Amino acid sequence: MAHAIDQVNSLSQSADQMAVTYAAGGPVSTAQLMIAESQATLAVDMMSQVATRVQQAYSTMMNMQI
């Protein structure tokens, strides 16, 4: 899980750096920037959904009667 969080963080930071480079007139195309931003957004959304599913599974297990 920690490795996945690190990967999501890395994608997000990479997209942010590309946006800064693009804004400064660097050698980043609009397509590259949009792809990087989309990848980062999808990764964050997926991580959020996984966290929600884990919380739901934990709640379900804790509510089970033994």
Side-chain angles (χ1 to χ4, degrees):
M1 189 73 162
H3 181 65
I5 292 171
D6 289 340
Q7 285 181 329
V8 170
N9 188 37
S10 175
L11 279 172
S12 180
Q13 288 177 346
S14 175
D16 289 344
Q17 184 60 38
M18 286 183 91
V20 169
T21 303
Y22 179 79
V28 176
S29 71
T30 305
Q32 290 172 324
L33 178 60
M34 294 306 295
I35 290 169
E37 290 290 339
S38 294
Q39 287 176 337
T41 300
L42 287 172
V44 169
D45 288 346
M46 184 182 71
M47 184 60 69
S48 175
Q49 289 179 12
V50 168
T52 300
R53 296 292 173 123
V54 168
Q55 289 175 340
Q56 288 173 346
Y58 178 78
S59 294
T60 300
M61 286 176 36
M62 293 307 291
N63 290 329
M64 286 182 175
Q65 294 182 0
I66 298 176

